[in-house]
Amino acid sequence: MDAVLGSSLPVFIGLTLLVFGGCGWLTGQALAQGWKSPGMVFAYSLMMGLGDRFLVFALFGGPLLHLPGFIVHGAAILAITWVSYRMALAHRMVSQYPWLYERSGPFGWREKIGARIAG
């Protein structure tokens, strides 16, 4: 497991999923509230992945330049950030435009029947 993660499992759960995952959750919500593009989710997740890799190295003695570990940790952070972004964006669209859109699952919205915009 250490060969793939570049750290121990408790470090992955504690630092990556709890600390950086929590940061990713808040980042996704903030990006959706500010109507930022989905590309920003990837950019911020990349930066958080770099910070996570550095803290694994500095605090727990893991390898700094460990590509498989960076990919796994970064993918976990990206997934949490993306889920948060889509959920917050769907909530924002439905609550800000209730006459146009209705909820379509936890991550999406759809146009209401008969809610066509004239023009």
Side-chain angles (χ1 to χ4, degrees), residues 75-86:
I77 294 168
L78 175 63
I80 293 169
T81 308
W82 183 256
V83 165
S84 172
Y85 175 78
R86 287 299 300 179

Side-chain angles (χ1 to χ4, degrees), residues 11-49:
V11 170
F12 175 75
I13 292 170
L15 185 65
T16 302
L17 295 182
L18 294 178
V19 174
F20 279 95
C23 292
W25 186 264
L26 295 174
T27 300
Q29 289 181 344
L31 291 173
Q33 290 298 320
W35 296 105
K36 301 297 183 194
S37 71
M40 297 297 287
V41 172
F42 294 102
Y44 283 113
S45 295
L46 175 69
M47 288 186 276
M48 284 187 283

Side-chain angles (χ1 to χ4, degrees), residues 39-61:
M40 297 297 287
V41 172
F42 294 102
Y44 283 113
S45 295
L46 175 69
M47 288 186 276
M48 284 187 283
L50 292 171
D52 175 69
R53 193 77 241 155
F54 176 74
L55 287 182
V56 166
F57 165 73
L59 298 177
F60 302 104

